[in-house]
Structures are given as C-alpha cells and as structure tokens.
Amino acid sequence: MIAAVLALPLTAAAADKSPLAGRVAGTPQRCITLRQTEGLTIAERDLILFRESGRRIYRATPIGRCGQLQPFNALILDLYSGNTVCENDRFRVLTSGTSIPGPYCRFGKFVPYDRPAKPGS
C-alpha cells in the first residue's frame, strides 16, 4: 500500500461568526473527495472544515484527542485512496514554525452542512 502525503496550509476561521451558522447538517458521510473541496480551515481546537464550492461545508472532528490541532497549523494527510479522505484516515499536525509533525490523529465521519434553499426557488 502506497501512502500519498499531502501538506495543506490552513487558515483560522473568523472568531466572531461560525462558518456553519445558518446551515443545516446532513447525514454524516464516511468519505469525501478532496478534488471537490476548495480548502481546509481549522475552525477551533478539534474542528476541521472542508469547504466545497461555497455551497457546502464538511465538518470533521478527529477520533479521540489531537493535541496540536489548532488554527494556523498545517495538516499532513496520509492518502490511501487517491484523492479521497475517509473516516479513520490518518493525519498529522505541523505546528507553525516547526519542522517535525506531531503524532498521528484519525478522522471521524464528515458531516455536510448546506445552506437552506431560499423560499420560492
């Protein structure tokens, strides 16, 4: 099995407004396709958001504690299935200003959040 490693820079979410505000949670999914996402955000400790073309945001939380997961750090993903990230896939956190990533963490399920349909559309 070959693992592809992908380092993804992250941005911090605005502290005054939740990016999930006004959105409706959907059925948790086991996998998402990274090709369809526009970027990642560590919104807060233990909360990762994958944005999909402005209409959908996937909320991912790690299984167990992932100590270094915080805004402005980077994720290093171990990808085993091409351009897809799934529940139980491993990632590590690279703290800003360091060159050695932290211990492995694992993704839980990915919960989609969509904007509700506008009345009359």
Side-chain angles (χ1 to χ4, degrees), residues 8-111:
L8 298 168
L10 303 170
T11 58
D16 57 339
K17 183 179 177 190
S18 169
L20 301 177
R23 294 178 183 264
V24 178
T27 304
Q29 298 180 13
R30 188 174 180 283
C31 299
I32 61 170
T33 303
L34 289 175
R35 187 174 303 133
Q36 296 173 343
T37 62
E38 294 179 342
L40 304 175
T41 302
I42 297 178
E44 56 191 54
R45 191 181 247 352
D46 296 334
L47 178 60
I48 303 166
L49 302 176
F50 291 80
R51 294 185 180 276
E52 183 180 284
S53 52
R55 64 179 181 82
R56 175 173 282 172
I57 297 175
Y58 288 97
R59 176 180 161 253
T61 53
I63 296 172
R65 185 82 171 116
C66 188
Q68 296 176 333
L69 190 60
Q70 55 190 325
F72 299 111
N73 286 344
L75 288 186
I76 301 171
L77 306 179
D78 287 359
L79 300 177
Y80 297 97
S81 53
N83 198 27
T84 303
V85 63
C86 295
E87 178 183 15
N88 286 316
D89 279 355
R90 299 183 318 170
F91 67 92
R92 297 195 298 171
V93 179
L94 182 63
T95 302
S96 182
T98 66
S99 59
I100 300 173
Y104 280 104
C105 300
R106 294 181 304 134
F107 285 108
K109 291 199 184 288
F110 299 87
V111 180

